[in-house]
Amino acid sequence: MPFAIKIKQISVIVGIFLLAVLLPVSTAHAKNTEALFQDMQLASHSKDKIALQETLSQYIQQTNELVEEEYTSSSAEVSAFLRETNEVEASIYVAKWLSSEDADTLKTAVRYRWMMITSYDLMFFSQFASASNMIEKSLSSIKIWQPLSDSALNTQANLYHIYGQLLVKQKRVAEALPYFFQAEEWFKNIQPDHPSIFTINIILGEAFLNAKDYIKAEQYTKQALNIIPNGRVDAISYLYGILASAVRQQARPEDALDIIHQYLKNPVDPRKDYFLYFSLVHIEILRDLQAFEAALALAKETHTLAQAVNNKSYLKEAKRHLGFLESHFGNTVAAEKLLFEAIHSATNKLNDTSPEVYLEYVEILEKLGKYQIALEYHQMFHATYVKERDRIDRATIANLEQQQRNFKLEQETIVSSTKLALAEANSKRAQFKSRVLM
């Protein structure tokens, strides 16, 4: 029998032996996670927060011994459980635990998978600061991580994608963009038409819209429209809303209304919160075109929807529009109440009151003869306007392309160094084999 064939047969036998040894171990750990999951359910049902938190950390540690497919499905199962039972505090605890030294024993792929799934849970619960803090502590190690599977590479890309989203929510657009561009590159390495690239283009459109770079916002949302994945209907109204808003801000209200009507011909989006955003943009466009009767009817429907959805930011904006339109038709008492609430109602976001609403409220106060109060709110308008202007750092945005080139160069250097180290290791391994065979 040839020597090479004999070696191959020995390798196969060793592989089968290792599989036979490892499989029962993995199965045993899988049974342990099942038992711990039941303990979590009991702790949640009995409102024992401490027991739930302790069991969660034990569960995550146990998944460290599972194969990739098993710990992936386990994390998804826990995520669904935490959301269904509204365990906000438990999700925050997991985020802190994953960033602590107690989690250092976890394999990198396992730890980052849990970070990814926990980030989505925290965003679901609107706990954006907790998600941002957790990822931020690991950004440098995430960047140099070399995943060994498509699933792990997907985790790496998603962590950057999520962090970019969190920065956009803080209106730190210039800082967010490099993370989106890198995430897009990683997704393309997995699959040239990866579905997440569609989402990234939507978020880039939203980011540039917040940065008041309306041409780029239009560019990225149109790119997203051209690559809508099959069966993906959950964000279409939101996408059309961003596009219509970007076009409207370029003083093209008729084109923006055409975009609105284009979507309304086939309204496929089942997400009420996304359709709510779309409707708010629609009202803005109708106001620009002075179609006030249609705008008032839509504003009433949108205000009702905003109350049902209970999105505080959108409800704030819905009150603003309805207040302005009630004022236009002479209902000053109702308008004053709505605009006051639009200014002073709290949301989960900082600086969430637009400068325009102050001016609209000042106009109502002047109609009612409340000139001293009107002066105070005009001063508030000025202060808010200055903050908004300072937030838009166009010089930083103009330098983003150079930042991205530097970022890619840094990544290429890391990859080259890794390849060189692997080549040296392989060379030493080959020399060792030669000596053994001789």
Side-chain angles (χ1 to χ4, degrees):
M1 179 181 293
F3 182 75
I5 295 175
K6 192 171 183 179
I7 290 293
K8 188 174 181 181
Q9 288 179 341
I10 292 170
S11 299
V12 171
I13 292 168
V14 170
I16 293 171
F17 172 75
L18 288 172
L19 184 62
V21 171
L22 292 174
L23 191 58
V25 175
S26 181
T27 304
H29 284 291
K31 288 181 178 178
N32 288 341
T33 55
E34 287 178 13
L36 287 167
F37 187 75
Q38 291 175 357
D39 291 344
M40 276 192 280
Q41 290 175 312
L42 288 171
S44 176
H45 182 71
S46 60
K47 308 294 183 185
D48 191 338
K49 294 180 180 180
I50 295 174
L52 175 59
Q53 292 173 2
E54 290 176 351
T55 310
L56 266 169
S57 57
Q58 292 171 22
Y59 184 97
I60 295 171
Q61 286 173 323
Q62 197 66 228
T63 62
N64 196 45
E65 307 301 328
L66 301 179
V67 296
E68 185 175 62
E69 185 179 356
E70 289 175 341
Y71 69 68
T72 297
S73 61
S74 293
S75 62
E77 184 179 30
V78 170
S79 172
F81 161 71
L82 293 175
R83 294 187 190 195
E84 288 169 5
T85 53
N86 198 35
E87 293 289 356
V88 183
E89 289 183 31
S91 297
I92 295 171
Y93 168 81
V94 171
K96 291 179 180 177
W97 186 85
L98 287 168
S99 299
S100 70
E101 292 181 359
D102 293 335
D104 288 346
T105 56
L106 294 177
K107 296 170 189 172
T108 304
V110 176
R111 189 174 193 171
Y112 288 157
R113 166 69 194 186
W114 278 101
M115 279 191 177
M116 182 190 80
I117 208 78
T118 303
S119 298
Y120 283 127
D121 293 338
L122 292 168
M123 291 171 75
F124 177 81
F125 292 127
S126 298
Q127 299 298 317
F128 305 114
S130 294
S132 183
N133 291 338
M134 176 182 63
I135 298 175
E136 199 163 41
K137 290 175 182 177
S138 298
L139 276 176
S140 57
S141 55
I142 292 169
K143 182 169 63 175
I144 61 174
W145 179 35
Q146 297 293 315
L148 300 176
S149 69
D150 282 353
S151 177
L153 184 57
N154 192 68
T155 296
Q156 183 184 41
N158 268 311
L159 283 168
Y160 261 45
H161 184 186
I162 294 164
Y163 189 66
Q165 287 179 270
L166 293 167
L167 289 173
V168 169
K169 286 187 178 295
Q170 298 172 53
K171 298 186 177 181
R172 294 160 62 188
V173 178
E175 295 173 64
L177 295 180
Y179 292 98
F180 286 128
F181 291 138
Q182 181 58 68
E184 184 176 25
E185 188 173 315
W186 281 332
F187 282 129
K188 284 180 178 177
N189 288 338
I190 303 169
Q191 182 183 336
D193 56 347
H194 195 288
S196 293
I197 297 170
F198 164 70
T199 308
I200 286 175
N201 275 283
I202 296 178
I203 296 171
L204 284 169
E206 178 188 23
F208 279 113
L209 185 67
N210 287 333
K212 301 189 184 300
D213 191 336
Y214 304 120
I215 293 174
K216 283 190 177 179
E218 181 182 2
Q219 172 194 335
Y220 280 104
T221 48
K222 282 184 174 177
Q223 283 180 200
L225 276 172
N226 291 330
I227 57 170
I228 298 174
N230 290 331
R232 183 68 185 271
V233 296
D234 61 310
I236 306 304
S237 63
Y238 191 61
L239 173 58
Y240 273 94
I242 294 170
L243 179 58
S245 184
V247 170
R248 169 188 169 265
Q249 293 285 3
Q250 296 175 58
R252 294 157 52 198
E254 292 84 1
D255 292 343
L257 190 61
D258 286 343
I259 292 166
I260 294 291
H261 289 158
Q262 187 179 343
Y263 171 75
L264 289 175
K265 288 177 183 176
N266 183 27
V268 295
D269 197 334
R271 288 278 298 264
K272 289 183 179 179
D273 53 340
Y274 286 163
F275 186 74
L276 177 55
Y277 171 79
F278 173 88
S279 296
L280 290 168
V281 175
H282 190 180
I283 296 167
E284 291 270 20
I285 295 165
L286 290 172
R287 283 180 57 176
D288 288 347
L289 295 169
Q290 298 188 354
F292 294 120
E293 288 186 4
L296 177 62
L298 180 58
K300 289 178 178 177
E301 292 175 8
T302 304
H303 183 254
T304 302
L305 179 60
Q307 289 175 314
V309 171
N310 198 28
N311 182 307
K312 292 180 181 179
S313 294
Y314 290 162
L315 180 57
K316 189 182 188 80
E317 193 67 7
K319 286 180 177 180
R320 176 209 155 197
H321 285 306
L322 186 55
F324 170 84
L325 291 160
E326 290 286 12
S327 170
H328 178 80
F329 286 99
N331 302 320
T332 50
V333 175
E336 182 187 16
K337 180 176 183 296
L338 285 162
L339 288 169
F340 180 84
E341 290 174 358
I343 290 172
H344 294 288
S345 56
T347 70
N348 293 326
K349 297 179 183 178
L350 295 173
N351 305 320
D352 204 25
T353 303
S354 63
E356 292 82 0
V357 69
Y358 289 99
L359 286 182
E360 291 164 359
Y361 189 50
V362 165
E363 186 179 340
I364 289 290
L365 291 170
E366 288 176 345
K367 285 182 180 178
L368 294 169
K370 299 179 180 181
Y371 300 111
Q372 184 59 43
I373 301 174
L375 179 60
E376 292 173 9
Y377 276 91
H378 194 278
Q379 291 170 343
M380 290 182 196
F381 157 74
H382 183 263
T384 307
Y385 176 79
V386 170
K387 285 182 182 178
E388 178 75 5
R389 186 189 60 192
D390 290 345
R391 180 181 66 80
I392 310 303
D393 187 349
R394 291 193 173 277
T396 304
I397 293 173
N399 291 327
L400 282 174
E401 290 183 6
Q402 181 61 42
Q403 291 178 28
Q404 182 58 17
R405 280 196 291 271
N406 293 339
F407 189 86
K408 284 185 177 179
L409 183 61
E410 184 182 358
Q411 287 296 114
E412 288 168 4
T413 303
I414 292 166
V415 172
S416 297
S417 300
T418 305
K419 286 181 179 177
L420 181 60
L422 287 172
E424 290 174 355
N426 288 333
S427 176
K428 290 177 181 178
R429 196 176 296 112
Q431 291 173 13
F432 175 74
K433 284 182 178 178
S434 297
R435 285 198 298 271
V436 170
L437 291 173
M438 288 177 66

